[in-house]
Amino acid sequence: MSNPASSNAALATRDLKHLWHPCTQMHDHESVPMVPIVRGEGAWLVDADGRRYLDGISSWWTNLFGHANPRIAAALAEQARTLEHVIFAGFTHAPAIELAEELVRITPPGLDRVFYADNGSAAIEVALKMSFHYWLNQGHGEKTRFIALSGSYHGETLGALSVSDVALYRKTYAPLLLTPFLAPSPDTYEGESGESSEQTAKRRLGELRTLLERHAHETCAVIVEPLVQCAGGMRMYHPSYLTGLRSLCDEFAVHFIADEIAVGFGRTGSLFACEQADITPDFMCLSKGLTGGFLPLSAVLTTTTIYEAFYAEYSAGKAFLHSHSYTGNPLACRVALETLAIFRDEPVLERNRQLALHLARRLEPLRDHPHVADVRQTGMIAAIELVADKASRRPFPADERRGLRVYLHGLQHGVLLRPLGNVVYFMPPYVVTAAEIDLLVDTAIAGIERAVTR
Ligand SMILES: *Cc1c(COP(=O)(O)O)cnc(C)c1O
């Protein structure tokens, strides 16, 4: 702080000279501050000028047990002194083995095989390729298409972006992408008025059935984000959709890919969102919270049935050929194991239930706000839908960037909120306290007041 060369301003200037940041129109930084963070502690981030920010979004939904969590940091340091990395073809190591055992143990029954990759999008690529390749190995090379939900987000590499339906990310690159069949999302917000979330789910399953009747013969899999479509605006839906989807996938012989990259590891109230529908998908993609927010790592879990379709003499040419240099990185696996150990040692889900209740109570008054069309919550994810007109639910035009005003208000008041367009949401680390939730909500409400006035 005393050294001006390491102040916020100095670091921001150097950053903007060479760096190109994700999900950013860099020109914005002519007016929006770049915030250099020097350390983290619990739910807090500290910048180079010593200002603190409460991380209301778990640093892009990754952090579970606090920044620089000492227990996870110690495990990482020990692993770094032992084995930092080794090729994962032909070679293996205890952290990868133990993590696979633990993932098989805690995920829904029947997911017995683990394939590692190094980020969420890569896990989606793996699941899509594996599903296609399974059908090919079974003599069904005509299955080349996928079904995704409207409003879905599965990442931004070309394959993952192909099965995503958020225009902001997809539109520009559409000419490069596969074209999935889109099934209407069971999103409750888009439901018909007077309809319960369960009724919306049922109606949407009917529409999916129609799509499958027409296209199942050419379809490899249906891919969904269980319970919450996160990047699409924290849109939520009833678990019965997942139960119905499981039966439809069985009936029409297509795979069920559950993308739990954002909702896995306790976010929705259960360890995995699929548990709330009591189903086992054919593929489950995990990342983000998997390492407690420390390191990039992803895992695709699948069934013995699928694994066996690839298992043959080398000459049969059935092997799954997909690799990343850092597949099964020991540091990341070790950190993931420590993260899962915290789930075993501490009453995480129970504590989250209390925190989620507190958050719900604090958000309740916003329902009456003239510019709030919806307040919704699933476990440790809560969202507020801002609109220009409450009665008609007419949204604010995107170019008014109301959410950005909430973001800037948050920064000025020591809170990191990063609305998705007109959706202000909370996805705090699980170590947040009730008092910190109060700060998050109070700051968001004040920010919303500023954002909705001209
Ligand atoms: C973040 C996310 C991804 C992509 O993960 P990356 O690690 O950012 O590539 C995929 N699916 C969902 C549901 C996500 O939230």
Side-chain angles (χ1 to χ4, degrees):
M1 265 164 281
S2 50
N3 180 359
S6 56
S7 67
N8 272 8
L11 289 170
T13 303
R14 284 167 60 196
D15 174 290
L16 292 171
K17 187 144 185 253
H18 294 296
L19 282 164
W20 195 340
H21 288 261
C23 203
T24 299
Q25 170 47 266
M26 292 300 292
H27 182 274
D28 278 359
H29 284 298
E30 292 190 10
S31 56
V32 174
M34 173 60 68
V35 188
I37 295 299
V38 292
R39 63 192 176 84
E41 188 185 356
W44 292 85
L45 297 163
V46 184
D47 77 13
D49 291 346
R51 297 197 44 185
R52 290 158 57 82
Y53 306 86
L54 180 56
D55 188 351
I57 60 160
S58 297
S59 282
W60 261 346
W61 325 340
T62 59
N63 195 284
L64 303 185
F65 300 121
H67 290 284
N69 178 293
R71 180 171 171 179
I72 301 175
L76 172 59
E78 193 193 310
Q79 185 62 44
R81 286 189 294 263
T82 313
L83 176 67
E84 82 305 340
H85 188 61
V86 60
I87 178 174
F88 203 58
F91 288 72
T92 193
H93 50 84
I97 297 165
E98 286 166 25
L99 180 59
E101 288 168 348
E102 187 64 3
L103 288 173
V104 165
R105 192 181 71 78
I106 64 177
T107 50
L111 296 172
D112 294 328
R113 256 319 132 174
V114 180
F115 190 98
Y116 291 121
D118 47 19
N119 62 72
S121 302
I124 299 297
E125 303 288 337
V126 167
L128 299 177
K129 285 174 69 177
M130 235 181 223
S131 174
F132 162 77
H133 199 165
Y134 168 88
W135 294 116
L136 182 69
N137 283 349
Q138 299 293 89
H140 288 291
E142 73 282 3
K143 281 182 179 275
T144 56
R145 308 289 300 272
F146 294 91
I147 294 176
L149 296 183
S150 58
S152 59
Y153 176 93
H154 298 289
E156 291 171 56
T157 54
L158 293 178
L161 189 59
S162 287
V163 289
S164 298
D165 180 47
V166 177
L168 175 67
Y169 306 115
R170 185 188 168 99
K171 215 169 91 202
T172 310
Y173 306 103
L176 306 181
L177 305 177
L178 306 170
T179 43
F181 299 114
L182 279 187
S185 168
D187 168 10
T188 303
Y189 185 72
E190 295 288 340
E192 282 166 11
S193 72
E195 192 180 53
S196 71
S197 60
E198 197 165 0
Q199 286 165 332
T200 307
K202 192 165 173 213
R203 185 164 54 83
R204 294 313 196 187
L205 284 167
E207 290 162 325
L208 177 60
R209 169 179 284 282
T210 306
L211 192 63
L212 285 166
E213 280 166 354
R214 208 169 307 150
H215 295 292
H217 67 280
E218 52 179 324
T219 299
C220 302
V222 180
I223 181 168
V224 302
E225 294 158 88
L227 299 186
V228 187
Q229 295 185 293
C230 292
M234 301 298 164
R235 295 298 181 88
M236 302 177 183
Y237 61 87
H238 197 273
S240 59
Y241 186 82
L242 299 173
T243 322
L245 175 59
R246 179 66 275 180
S247 338
L248 285 174
C249 286
D250 290 340
E251 183 182 337
F252 287 93
V254 303
H255 290 143
F256 180 156
I257 303 175
D259 175 355
E260 293 229 13
I261 289 166
V263 297
F265 301 103
R267 267 296 156 199
T268 65
S270 46
L271 192 54
F272 297 102
C274 283
E275 290 171 27
Q276 295 184 40
D278 202 17
I279 54 111
T280 299
D282 299 293
F283 299 92
M284 183 184 266
C285 300
L286 302 173
S287 188
K288 291 202 168 108
L290 172 60
T291 60
F294 264 65
L295 285 171
L297 176 69
S298 61
V300 179
L301 281 90
T302 191
T303 61
T304 300
T305 309
I306 286 166
Y307 176 73
E308 283 177 347
F310 293 81
Y311 196 84
E313 292 288 344
Y314 182 83
S315 55
K318 288 186 169 182
F320 183 59
L321 294 178
H322 184 101
S323 53
H324 296 290
S325 313
Y326 283 96
T327 299
N329 176 256
L331 298 171
C333 289
R334 185 65 191 83
V335 154
L337 276 168
E338 201 62 26
T339 302
L340 296 180
I342 296 175
F343 277 100
R344 285 197 308 275
D345 296 347
E346 295 176 19
V348 177
L349 298 182
E350 233 170 270
R351 188 166 173 276
N352 280 1
R353 251 188 297 281
Q354 299 307 315
L355 291 168
L357 275 173
H358 183 72
L359 182 57
R361 276 194 298 270
R362 289 301 326 273
L363 292 178
E364 195 54 36
L366 272 165
R367 291 187 191 277
D368 298 327
H369 193 285
H371 288 286
V372 172
D374 192 28
V375 178
R376 51 182 175 263
Q377 185 175 356
T378 302
M380 288 290 272
I381 307 174
I384 301 159
E385 186 98 23
L386 300 182
V387 287
D389 182 66
K390 191 175 178 104
S392 67
R393 291 185 158 191
R394 179 166 50 82
F396 284 114
D399 60 10
E400 290 179 7
R401 305 185 77 183
R402 304 279 173 163
L404 179 62
R405 302 190 202 176
V406 177
Y407 171 76
L408 291 170
H409 177 86
L411 280 191
Q412 282 163 15
H413 294 84
V415 168
L416 169 52
L417 297 163
R418 201 174 193 276
L420 295 156
N422 293 321
V423 176
V424 178
Y425 73 91
F426 307 92
M427 216 198 266
Y430 303 163
V431 294
V432 74
T433 64
E436 287 165 348
I437 285 177
D438 291 344
L439 176 62
L440 280 179
V441 173
D442 291 340
T443 308
I445 291 174
I448 287 169
E449 284 311 330
R450 270 176 66 172
V452 297
T453 52
R454 268 254 64 112

